[in-house]
Amino acid sequence: MTNIIRGKCIDISSEGKGVVKDGKHIYFVDGLFIGEEADIEVKYSRAGVYFGKVKKLYALSKDRIQPKCKVCTACGGCQYQQINYSAQLEYKTKRVKEALSRIGGLKVDVLPCLGMTEPYFYRNKIQMPYGVDRKGNVVYGFFKENSHEIIPVKECVIEDKRASSILWDIKELVKKMNIPIYNEDTGRGILRYVLIRTSYHYNELMVVLVTSTLNFPGQRNFVDTLTKLHPEITTIVENVNSRHTNVILGQSEKVLFGPGYIKDKILDLTFEISTSSFYQVNPIQVEVLYKKALNLVDFNKKPVVLDAYSGVGTIGLIASRNASKVISVEINKDASRNAKENAKRNNVNNIEFYCDDASDFIERYSDPLDIVIMDPPRKGSDERFLSVLMNKKVTQIIYISCNPETLARDLKYLSKQYSVDYVQPVDMFPMTAHVETVVGLYLKK
Ligand code: SAH
């Protein structure tokens, strides 16, 4: 279906699309911002909402700027690159405020979203599919939204600058050495993805070659040439993913060069990062986020702290320095194992790790708990978990959320017994519509 309508953008959706209404329908439009008017090409509809893109712009937002990235509109990863950074931050603050009031029924102060001084080139993790275009050229980049067509990207402006020349040189080497690129339709070929992880605090950089089979031809030569070209690479890992799937990483791995992991630091603690570890992608803003969260904790009484949805244990390990004890719960086995290793590496002894579902765990846990720091995934927490906190009368809850809508739902539930005293959005993902929020809740007297 394709038809064109003319409309005015009155709001921004939670996915960062411009919202247009025409009396009958609601349209979500890529790259259209509040106050702008445009001809909109309507592409498809889902659950009663129409989705489209800008065909011709008439009235432009005063916040509109020239995006740094040439493929910004085709790629779709950066919903906000076409508006200036202060407007991006305002949109994020507004999203949190509106979610809390609309979904949470809460009228609370929301502090202005904390942004970065330099909001580009921040990501420490980049993963790109390699493919062959219609002319037979090797390309790499991002999949176009809802498709498997690769949009070639030479320099992604939100990713660590060190990654782009490595990705380019891998492409050149692959061509020179005739390493076959994987074909998603036929399942033939070898190289599927390249993933690069960079350390912010150490001179360490990891390249992961995701391949369909182990030991591709010329592997030794490939590794030698690449590490000579890029001495900044400290480790190369081959990850084998032979399945026909959208999941990037497979189960088996072989270290081709270096130790197989890199290290990085958050607030003076060192963490080991392997190919699949969950690790916050913005090394500068993670410190801002964690500081804001931990500043809320009343450490005076040496509390027992629960770090729920703990990932590789970062927040709990930092909190452990001032707590009497930290209990850390994480469902993912690898992350939980990494968390234990991270405790050893940093000589932390007052932390216990449980690999479990947070709700199952807390229902069974009968020892006293003073403070809960929770950082659930996008779908938020659940009533089982939250009701136990209320029954236990935990004095303070610090909720870190990457999704204002599920946060608002959970706060509505908790607000029966807790006052929401502090709401601080933090911009972990400049140029995108995502926003992280730190919330401080206190047991009502
Ligand atoms: N606090 C960490 C990780 C946050 S991401 C950090 O700042 O780095 C959310 C984490 O919750 C992920 O590691 C995910 O594996 C975990 N998780 C998801 N569902 C869970 C559940 N039901 N119980 C416990 N952990 C869960």
Side-chain angles (χ1 to χ4, degrees), residues 8 76 115 157 213 324 347 387 416:
K8 185 166 179 173
V157 302
T213 53
S324 71
N347 299 315
S387 65
K416 287 185 242 164

Side-chain angles (χ1 to χ4, degrees), residues 201-408:
H201 292 278
Y202 297 96
N203 275 326
E204 297 188 7
L205 186 151
M206 171 196 277
V207 173
V208 183
L209 305 166
V210 184
T211 57
S212 59
T213 53
L214 196 63
N215 294 326
F216 56 88
Q219 195 174 75
R220 218 31 297 147
N221 190 8
F222 181 89
V223 168
D224 288 348
T225 317
L226 188 63
T227 48
K228 281 209 183 81
L229 274 173
H230 291 282
E232 69 276 23
I233 298 175
T234 52
T235 189
I236 302 182
V237 179
E238 181 182 11
N239 174 284
V240 183
N241 185 356
S242 51
R243 286 168 305 163
H244 191 82
T245 159
N246 284 341
V247 179
I248 295 176
L249 292 175
Q251 298 296 322
S252 57
E253 276 186 6
K254 181 179 163 195
V255 178
L256 304 181
F257 174 76
Y261 60 85
I262 57 168
K263 300 189 299 302
D264 210 347
K265 260 194 328 197
I266 304 177
L267 299 171
D268 293 331
L269 291 195
T270 297
F271 300 97
E272 202 173 282
I273 307 160
S274 48
T275 51
S276 61
S277 315
F278 176 88
Y279 194 76
Q280 297 278 354
V281 296
N282 188 327
I284 300 168
Q285 291 297 85
V286 69
E287 296 199 336
V288 175
L289 180 80
Y290 283 9
K291 270 190 201 154
K292 288 290 170 196
L294 292 169
N295 273 347
L296 295 174
V297 180
D298 179 4
F299 282 114
N300 286 325
K301 292 187 192 139
K302 287 269 164 195
V304 176
V305 176
L306 172 72
D307 175 18
Y309 312 90
S310 69
V312 294
T314 41
I315 300 175
L317 286 164
I318 296 165
S320 71
R321 292 186 290 190
N322 299 310
S324 71
K325 188 163 89 176
V326 174
I327 316 290
S328 163
V329 187
E330 162 62 44
I331 203 165
N332 179 286
K333 282 200 188 80
D334 290 337
S336 186
R337 198 191 58 239
N338 288 151
K340 281 184 200 148
E341 290 158 1
N342 284 330
K344 267 197 214 135
R345 182 166 305 106
N346 291 290
N347 299 315
V348 176
N349 301 313
N350 59 336
I351 188 161
E352 289 169 15
F353 296 98
Y354 297 89
C355 182
D356 203 346
D357 169 75
S359 309
D360 288 348
F361 172 83
I362 199 153
E363 278 180 344
R364 281 197 320 270
Y365 189 76
S366 51
D367 290 351
L369 272 182
D370 302 313
I371 291 172
V372 171
I373 303 176
M374 54 188 289
D375 183 9
R378 291 186 62 73
K379 69 172 196 239
S381 187
D382 57 32
E383 288 192 8
R384 264 201 315 138
F385 183 85
L386 302 174
S387 65
V388 178
L389 302 192
M390 304 214 277
N391 290 337
K392 281 188 186 293
K393 301 207 179 312
V394 169
T395 47
Q396 209 189 350
I397 303 171
I398 290 130
Y399 193 138
I400 303 175
S401 157
C402 55
N403 183 340
E405 288 73 31
T406 56
L407 169 70

